[in-house]
Amino acid sequence: DATHPFAERIGPRTKVVCDDLGLPYLRLLRPGWAAAPGDQWTWVDRAQDVGTVLPRPATALLAVGPRTLPRLGPLPGITAYCRRIDPPDDPFPLAAGGWVVGPPGGNAPDEAAWMRAHGIGWVVAKDAGGTAGYGKIATARALGLPVVMIRRPQQGQSDTVTTVAAALDWVARV
């Protein structure tokens, strides 16, 4: 199971199916991010807690994906931009802000220029780990912006590895 660290349904469902069928199950879970010097992170346990951290008024990049956005609540007093990979079918659900369509992170100069142009003062992110989405974190550090970091959901009990090589070793042993 190499699903996203925040895939709350797929992984547990796959584990249940494997257990029901008597199949071995392994979770390949990339390591989460670790704060580096200069980072200003505030950790929250759930997306619903983000609104308790953001000051009012503020402008924030919500790099949490469109499915997480409803869990954040209405966020009064916040101008919010939510990044999503695919073009939206629905209008932006919050009072102020809009969708940002494109892959996460981008290159650092473009990301910094976009954040400055939109007056971003906060970045909200999930602790997804990996390199693909890390650009927003590095850019927040470079710009001196605070980050609200959402902790990963609790993982069920299972064998877990953090690299593809370790997963292949597990497969060879099993």
Side-chain angles (χ1 to χ4, degrees), residues 2-166:
T3 53
H4 191 278
F6 283 81
E8 297 172 359
R9 292 187 315 256
I10 296 171
R13 183 175 53 216
T14 302
K15 170 84 167 91
V16 168
V17 168
C18 286
D19 289 348
D20 287 350
L21 295 174
L23 297 172
Y25 173 85
L26 178 72
R27 180 79 197 257
L28 172 57
L29 186 64
R30 62 185 176 228
W33 293 318
D39 284 336
Q40 305 170 52
W41 291 5
T42 300
W43 287 90
V44 295
D45 291 328
R46 308 168 311 142
Q48 296 86 328
D49 300 331
V50 167
T52 66
V53 176
L54 294 174
R56 276 30 175 219
T59 301
L61 170 61
L62 306 178
V64 297
R67 290 188 195 136
T68 300
L69 194 56
R71 295 186 206 160
L72 300 179
L75 300 178
I78 303 295
T79 300
Y81 296 93
C82 182
R83 179 170 283 142
R84 59 180 301 145
I85 294 172
D86 54 326
D89 292 326
D90 300 322
F92 191 67
L94 300 178
W99 296 115
V100 179
V101 178
N107 68 55
D110 289 347
E111 187 85 336
W114 184 89
M115 286 187 190
R116 282 190 199 104
H118 287 81
I120 300 298
W122 286 78
V123 174
V124 177
K126 295 175 177 178
D127 179 20
T131 57
Y134 192 74
K136 63 187 166 274
I137 304 302
T139 301
R141 179 185 315 117
L143 297 177
L145 300 178
V147 173
V148 179
M149 187 69 71
I150 303 169
R151 283 188 179 87
R152 292 176 173 193
Q154 290 294 321
Q155 304 298 319
Q157 295 292 334
S158 64
D159 290 340
T160 302
V161 297
T162 59
T163 67
V164 172

